[in-house]
C-alpha cells in the first residue's frame, strides 16, 4: 500500500465537483442560484454548444467586494454562513461555498464582479486550476461568471456528456425550476447567440407555467392555498383530465428551492386517489414556505432532498388542500355534501351540471319504485360485485355483437333470456322483467344518468363517460393481443382533409391499421377509410379519424407508439360510446352497470371526467339532517314540528 497523503487542492476540488457538477446543467443551476442569492432582478444566461463550450451567467445583483473576488473561487469559502448555528436557519440557496471552487477545478472560469459603491469591476480567472491575480476591469454593477470548456481537465466526465439536444434539455429543466420559483426575476437565455427565453418579470406563476408548459395547461390549472398547520402552501394543480404519463410535471418548491420529497409526492398522489386512470400522474406546481429552522437542507450535496421536521403535518396539509380543491364545487366526482346550492364563484357550466345531477337525484327519490329493494348492489369497486357472480364470468366475456344490437354494449342481453347459453352474462345477471314486476335495480334519468343503489349509498353514473371508459379498457386490452378485428366496407368512407392531416395519416398509418382502421389517401386532399374495427361499429369512422388528427397535429414532439395507440383508443371509445341523451334499453343499462361492478374501472373516463358520483348514506343523512354530527339543538328553541 502507498503511504497516506493529503491530496492536492485541485484534486480535492475535482472529487468534490464529482458530487455536484455532473453536466452543464449542474453549472447552470449553481450559477443561477448564486445570482438569486445576490438579489438579482435580471439574469442573463448565455450558452454555447449546450454549455459544453460556454456558460455565462450575468446578473445585476449585489456584486462581490473587490477584495473578496478571489476568495469566491476558493473552496469552502462562502458569505452565506459563518457558524454552525447558521445551518439551523438557511435562507439562501447556497451555503456550502463549494460550487465555484468545484467548477473552477473542472473548467476555465472567469469571474467579474462590481458592487454598487465600487468605481470599477474586478476580474479573476482560473485556468487549469491556476488562478491569475485579480485585475480591475470595466463592467456594470453585478456579477458575471463565465465557465468555458467544461470537464476539459476531466476527460472521463467529458466523454459522458450527451448530445447537445439532451444537455439543453437538462439545462431547460433547471431554467424552468428557477423561472417558476422566481417569477419576479427577469430571465433571459440564449443558446449559440439565439434567444431561447426572454421572460420579463411577472407576479403570475401561471404566466411562467404557460411559457414552459403551454397556455392550455396553464389555463386549466386550479389554485390552492392553505396556511395551516405546518406552513404556507400555495400552488396550481391540474384537474384529473390534465394528468400526465409521468411525474415530470410535478414541481415542489420549499422556501424558493426546488426539492424532491417522496412523502410529499405521495401525499399529492393520494389526493388524486380514485380520480386518475391507473398510472396517470397529477400535474402540480406547489410552493411551500416554512420556518427555515423547520427544515434541514444540509443532507444532500445538491440540496434536492431536504429533511422536514414537520413532515407528517405537511403531508396532511398538502393532501387536504389538494383533495379539497379537487372535490370542491364544480369538479367533484364524489359529492359530499352533494345537494347544497352551488357556491358563489362556481362556473356556470359546473353549476348547470350540478343542478342537473341534483334534479336527477331528486327525481329518483320521488319515484315510488325507488323504495323497492334492489336485488343487485352495484358497488363502486370490483370487490363489491355481487358475490354470486364469479368475477371471471363477468370479466372475461367479450362483447356480443348481435346484428340488431343498438350499441354493441358489452354483455348485451339477447332478445330472449331463454336463448342464453349457460354461463353467459345475462344468466348471471337477472334478466329484465317488465315494469313493476321485478324490483328495480337502476333507472335512467334525463336519458343521461343511470342511478342505482349501492351497499352504502346511491351511485349516479354518467352513461357516456362510463361506456367510454369500458370501451377504452376493452380496446387497450385487445390491442395487447394484436390488431383489432376490422370490417371491410364495400364502399370506402371518404373524408376531405388538409395536406397536413393527410401527411399525419401517412405517418400513423401503421398505428391506425393496428386499431383496425385502414385509411389511404385518395386523390387530392381526400382520405378513404376502407376498413374499421368491428368493436367500434357505432362510431363514425371519419369522426374518429378527425379527432385523432386534431391531436396529432398539435404535438411538438413525435409521440411514442404507445401514446398514439392510447389516443386512438380514446377518440374511438368516445365516438363509439352512447351519448348523453340516448335513451337506453333496460338490458343496456344493466349491461353497463354490471360491467362497472365487475371491472376494475378507474373513476374517470379517458378524458378525465368522472364516470360516477357516489352519494354515501352519510352524505344523504347529512343533507336530510339525520347525522349525529349536526350541531346540538338549542333547547330554548321550539321544535320545528
Ligand atoms: P455558496 O453559494 O455556497 O456560498 P459558491 O461557491 O457558489 O458558494 O459562491 C461563493 C461565494 O461567492 C458566495 O458565498 C458569494 O459570496 C459569492 N458569489 C458567488 N456568485 C455570486 C454572485 N453572482 N453575486 C454575488 N456574489 C456571488
Ligand atoms: Mg453557490
Amino acid at each position: 500500500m502507498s503511504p497516506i497523503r493529503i491530496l492536492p487542492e485541485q484534486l480535492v476540488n475535482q472529487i468534490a465537483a464529482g458530487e455536484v457538477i455532473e453536466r452543464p446543467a449542474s453549472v447552470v443551476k449553481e450559477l443561477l442560484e448564486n445570482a438569486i442569492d445576490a438579489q438579482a432582478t435580471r439574469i442573463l444566461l448565455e450558452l454555447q454548444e449546450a454549455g459544453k463550450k460556454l456558460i455565462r451567467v450575468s446578473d445585476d445583483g449585489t456584486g462581490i467586494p473587490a477584495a473578496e473576488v478571489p476568495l469566491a473561487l476558493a473552496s469552502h469559502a462562502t458569505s452565506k454562513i459563518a457558524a454552525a448555528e447558521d445551518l439551523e436557519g438557511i435562507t439562501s440557496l447556497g451555503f456550502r461555498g463549494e460550487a465555484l471552487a468545484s467548477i473552477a477545478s473542472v473548467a476555465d472560469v472567469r469571474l467579474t464582479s462590481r458592487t454598487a459603491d465600487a468605481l470599477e469591476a474586478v476580474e479573476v480567472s482560473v485556468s487549469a486550476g491556476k488562478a491569475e491575480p485579480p485585475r480591475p476591469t470595466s463592467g456594470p454593477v453585478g456579477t458575471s461568471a463565465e465557465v468555458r470548456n467544461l470537464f476539459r481537465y476531466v476527460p472521463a466526465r467529458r466523454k459522458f456528456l450527451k448530445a447537445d439536444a439532451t444537455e439543453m434539455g437538462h439545462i431547460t429543466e433547471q431554467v424552468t425550476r428557477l423561472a417558476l420559483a422566481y417569477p419576479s426575476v427577469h430571465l433571459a437565455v440564449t443558446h449559440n447567440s439565439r434567444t431561447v427565453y426572454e421572460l420579463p418579470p411577472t407576479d403570475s406563476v401561471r404566466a411562467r407555467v404557460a411559457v414552459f408548459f403551454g397556455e392550455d395547461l396553464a389555463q386549466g390549472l386550479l389554485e390552492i392555498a392553505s396556511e395551516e398547520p405546518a406552513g404556507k402552501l400555495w400552488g396550481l394543480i391540474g384537474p384529473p383530465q390534465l394528468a400526465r404519463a409521468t411525474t415530470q410535471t410535478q414541481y415542489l418548491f420549499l422556501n424558493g428551492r426546488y426539492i424532491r420529497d417522496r412523502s410529499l409526492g405521495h401525499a399529492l398522489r393520494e389526493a388524486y386517489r380514485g380520480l386518475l386512470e391507473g398510472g396517470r400522474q397529477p400535474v402540480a406546481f406547489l410552493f411551500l414556505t416554512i420556518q427555515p429552522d423547520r427544515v434541514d437542507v444540509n443532507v444532500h450535496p445538491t440540496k434536492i432532498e431536504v429533511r422536514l421536521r414537520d413532515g407528517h403535518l405537511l403531508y396532511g396539509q398538502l393532501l387536504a388542500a389538494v383533495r379539497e380543491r379537487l372535490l370542491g364545487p364544480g369538479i367533484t366526482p364524489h359529492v359530499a355534501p352533494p345537494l347544497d346550492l352551488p357556491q358563489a364563484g362556481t362556473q356556470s357550466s359546473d353549476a348547470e351540471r350540478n343542478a342537473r345531477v341534483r334534479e336527477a337525484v331528486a327525481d329518483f327519490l320521488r319515484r315510488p319504485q325507488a323504495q323497492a329493494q334492489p336485488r343487485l348492489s352495484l358497488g363502486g369497486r370490483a370487490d363489491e360485485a355481487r358475490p354470486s357472480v364469479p368475477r371471471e364470468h363477468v370479466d372475461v366475456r367479450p362483447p356480443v355483437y348481435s346484428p340488431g344490437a343498438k350499441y354493441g354494449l358489452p354483455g348485451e342481453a339477447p332478445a330472449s333470456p331463454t336463448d342464453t347459453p349457460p354461463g353467459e352474462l345475462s344468466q348471471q345477471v337477472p334478466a329484465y322483467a317488465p315494469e313493476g314486476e321485478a324490483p328495480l335495480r337502476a333507472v335512467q334519468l334525463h336519458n343521461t344518468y343511470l342511478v342505482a343503489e349501492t351497499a352504502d349509498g346511491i351511485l349516479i353514473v354518467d352513461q357516456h363517460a362510463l361506456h367510454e371508459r369500458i370501451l377504452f379498457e376493452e380496446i387497450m386490452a385487445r390491442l395487447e393481443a394484436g390488431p383489432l378485428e376490422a370490417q371491410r366496407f364495400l364502399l370506402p368512407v371518404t373524408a376531405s382533409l388538409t395536406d397536413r392531416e393527410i401527411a399525419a395519416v401517412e405517418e400513423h398509418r401503421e398505428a391506425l391499421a393496428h386499431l383496425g382502421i385502414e385509411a389511404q389517401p385518395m386523390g387530392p386532399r381526400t382520405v378513404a377509410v376502407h376498413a374499421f374495427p368491428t368493436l367500434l361499429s357505432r362510431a363514425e369512422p371519419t369522426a374518429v379519424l378527425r379527432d385523432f388528427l386534431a391531436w396529432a397535429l398539435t404535438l411538438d414532439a413525435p409521440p411514442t407508439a404507445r401514446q398514439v395507440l392510447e389516443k386512438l383508443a380514446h377518440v374511438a371509445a368516445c365516438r363509439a360510446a352512447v351519448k348523453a341523451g340516448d335513451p337506453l334499453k333496460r338490458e343496456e343499462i344493466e349491461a353497463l352497470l354490471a360491467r362497472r361492478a365487475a371491472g376494475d374501472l378507474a373513476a374517470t373516463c379517458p378524458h378525465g371526467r368522472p364516470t360516477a358520483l357516489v352519494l354515501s348514506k352519510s352524505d344523504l343523512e347529512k343533507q336530510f339532517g339525520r347525522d349525529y354530527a349536526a350541531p346540538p339543538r338549542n333547547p330554548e328553541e321550539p321544535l320545528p314540528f
Side-chain angles (χ1 to χ4, degrees):
M1 272 227 295
S2 314
I4 298 175
R5 53 189 145 228
I6 305 259
L7 295 174
E9 195 187 329
Q10 198 195 358
L11 184 52
V12 171
N13 289 340
Q14 283 181 351
I15 292 168
E19 278 191 318
V20 278
I21 308 300
E22 203 190 334
R23 53 179 7 129
S26 338
V27 175
V28 168
K29 171 180 189 275
E30 294 296 337
L31 299 185
L32 290 177
E33 290 190 350
N34 279 349
I36 294 290
D37 281 346
Q39 270 111 51
T41 65
R42 291 180 74 96
I43 303 177
L44 169 64
L45 165 64
E46 293 162 283
L47 304 157
Q48 296 282 340
E49 295 176 18
K52 297 170 191 171
K53 189 162 168 222
L54 169 77
I55 300 168
R56 186 193 295 128
V57 171
S58 315
D59 66 56
D60 66 349
T62 56
I64 306 170
E68 295 173 24
V69 176
L71 263 184
L73 292 166
S75 51
H76 308 297
T78 178
S79 58
K80 298 168 193 174
I81 56 169
E85 56 268 25
D86 295 343
L87 283 177
E88 299 289 312
I90 299 283
T91 52
S92 52
L93 294 172
F95 60 86
R96 294 161 59 101
E98 281 195 89
L100 290 181
S102 297
I103 296 167
S105 73
V106 295
D108 298 328
V109 173
R110 182 163 66 187
L111 188 66
T112 311
S113 195
R114 182 182 151 195
T115 54
D117 52 8
L119 294 176
E120 51 189 0
V122 171
E123 171 192 304
V124 280
S125 315
V126 180
S127 187
K130 291 268 169 298
E132 303 276 319
R135 60 178 197 89
T137 181
S138 63
V141 171
T143 303
S144 168
E146 193 177 285
V147 177
R148 289 183 186 273
N149 308 318
L150 184 63
F151 298 141
R152 182 178 182 176
Y153 311 106
V154 205
R157 270 283 157 107
R158 188 160 186 99
K159 267 212 316 264
F160 281 104
L161 289 180
K162 297 283 188 317
D164 282 9
T166 310
E167 296 299 343
M168 273 309 284
H170 291 287
I171 290 173
T172 302
E173 180 58 29
Q174 293 299 337
V175 170
T176 305
R177 292 174 190 175
L178 196 99
L180 290 172
Y182 298 92
S184 63
V185 173
H186 187 136
L187 195 60
V189 181
T190 69
H191 183 211
N192 297 337
S193 309
R194 285 225 185 87
T195 299
V196 186
Y197 293 109
E198 180 68 52
L199 308 177
T202 170
D203 52 11
S204 157
V205 173
R206 202 185 284 272
R208 289 270 163 111
V209 170
V211 170
F212 294 99
F213 302 94
E215 193 67 46
D216 285 354
L217 183 114
Q219 291 314 322
L221 298 174
L222 312 167
E223 192 172 326
I224 59 161
S226 112
E227 304 270 344
E228 302 269 270
K232 194 168 155 245
L233 168 67
W234 184 88
L236 295 171
I237 59 166
Q241 65 267 28
L242 289 183
R244 297 276 171 110
T246 70
T247 56
Q248 269 164 25
T249 329
Q250 292 175 4
Y251 287 81
L252 175 62
F253 299 91
L254 178 80
N255 294 350
R257 182 191 310 280
Y258 172 87
I259 62 158
R260 269 194 226 121
D261 188 276
R262 285 183 59 173
S263 159
L264 294 180
H266 189 264
L268 177 68
R269 177 85 211 163
E270 273 301 287
Y272 282 78
R273 182 194 273 272
L275 306 180
L276 296 180
E277 281 173 51
R280 303 293 284 175
Q281 299 291 342
V283 168
F285 303 90
L286 302 171
F287 300 82
L288 272 166
T289 315
I290 62 175
Q291 293 289 339
D293 62 351
R294 307 305 295 165
V295 56
D296 185 359
V297 283
N298 190 26
V299 295
H300 191 276
T302 67
K303 311 169 199 101
I304 195 155
E305 277 163 29
V306 299
R307 198 173 294 130
L308 296 162
R309 307 221 201 284
D310 306 311
H312 61 290
L313 287 181
L314 281 169
Y315 182 99
Q317 184 176 350
L318 180 85
L319 174 55
V322 175
R323 186 94 182 146
E324 268 162 33
R325 188 69 183 86
L326 291 174
L327 299 187
I331 320 159
T332 168
H334 179 110
V335 189
L339 304 180
D340 56 3
L341 292 168
Q343 299 194 354
T346 307
Q347 278 168 9
S348 70
S349 59
D350 292 334
E352 265 168 38
R353 208 167 130 160
N354 284 350
R356 284 220 310 266
V357 174
R358 270 201 308 280
E359 202 181 307
V361 176
D363 226 32
F364 175 65
L365 295 174
R366 272 199 296 273
R367 294 192 181 195
Q369 302 100 299
Q371 279 137 26
Q373 271 302 347
R375 217 188 286 162
L376 175 59
S377 185
L378 293 154
R381 299 213 326 265
D383 54 11
E384 287 167 14
R386 205 160 45 101
S388 63
V389 185
R391 185 167 165 186
E392 54 274 27
H393 283 188
V394 182
D395 219 359
V396 299
R397 185 175 183 273
V400 172
Y401 301 98
S402 43
K406 197 157 134 220
Y407 297 126
L409 284 174
E412 190 146 20
S416 150
T418 50
D419 299 345
T420 317
E424 288 285 78
L425 181 70
S426 35
Q427 283 252 314
Q428 312 285 341
V429 178
Y432 164 64
E435 194 76 35
E437 280 186 37
L440 200 71
R441 292 202 303 264
V443 287
Q444 184 191 33
L445 300 178
H446 298 285
N447 287 339
T448 299
Y449 304 104
L450 312 181
V451 180
E453 184 189 58
T454 70
D456 74 337
I458 297 175
L459 176 74
I460 306 166
V461 169
D462 177 325
Q463 65 190 35
H464 171 71
L466 175 62
H467 193 201
E468 180 179 350
R469 180 81 234 174
I470 291 171
L471 285 173
F472 175 77
E473 299 287 340
E474 186 87 41
I475 297 168
M476 291 313 287
R478 288 181 173 218
L479 284 176
E480 303 283 323
L484 290 192
E485 188 192 315
Q487 186 195 356
R488 285 196 76 78
F489 299 129
L490 286 176
L491 285 175
V493 187
T494 59
S496 42
L497 302 175
T498 65
D499 292 337
R500 281 184 69 211
E501 287 173 324
I502 290 179
V505 169
E506 303 258 37
E507 191 185 330
H508 299 295
R509 165 116 38 111
E510 224 177 294
L512 287 163
H514 200 66
L515 207 86
I517 303 174
E518 194 189 306
Q520 266 169 1
M522 185 185 91
R525 309 234 164 98
T526 306
V527 157
V529 180
H530 295 280
F532 200 68
T534 37
L535 178 61
L536 305 171
S537 53
R538 195 179 129 80
E540 164 71 61
T542 56
V544 172
L545 198 59
R546 277 180 202 285
D547 289 354
F548 170 70
L549 293 173
W551 169 80
L553 291 186
T554 57
L555 300 173
D556 310 323
T560 63
R562 172 93 194 168
Q563 283 170 326
V564 171
L565 283 183
E566 266 187 20
K567 188 65 201 182
L568 271 170
H570 279 172
V571 299
C574 180
R575 289 289 180 174
V578 298
K579 302 279 173 296
D582 286 344
L584 297 187
K585 289 193 292 205
R586 174 60 51 89
E587 308 91 79
E588 292 166 337
I589 296 172
E590 282 171 5
L592 270 177
L593 292 176
R595 238 339 256 274
R596 181 182 193 280
D600 204 6
L601 298 173
T604 50
C605 81
H607 293 119
R609 282 180 21 217
T611 59
L613 305 177
V614 180
L615 308 187
S616 69
K617 269 194 209 148
S618 65
D619 292 338
L620 292 169
E621 278 159 9
K622 265 184 220 138
Q623 287 302 315
F624 291 110
R626 288 168 182 268
D627 61 324
Y628 303 111
R633 200 180 55 82
N634 178 356
E636 313 284 54
E637 248 172 38
L639 289 171
F641 45 82

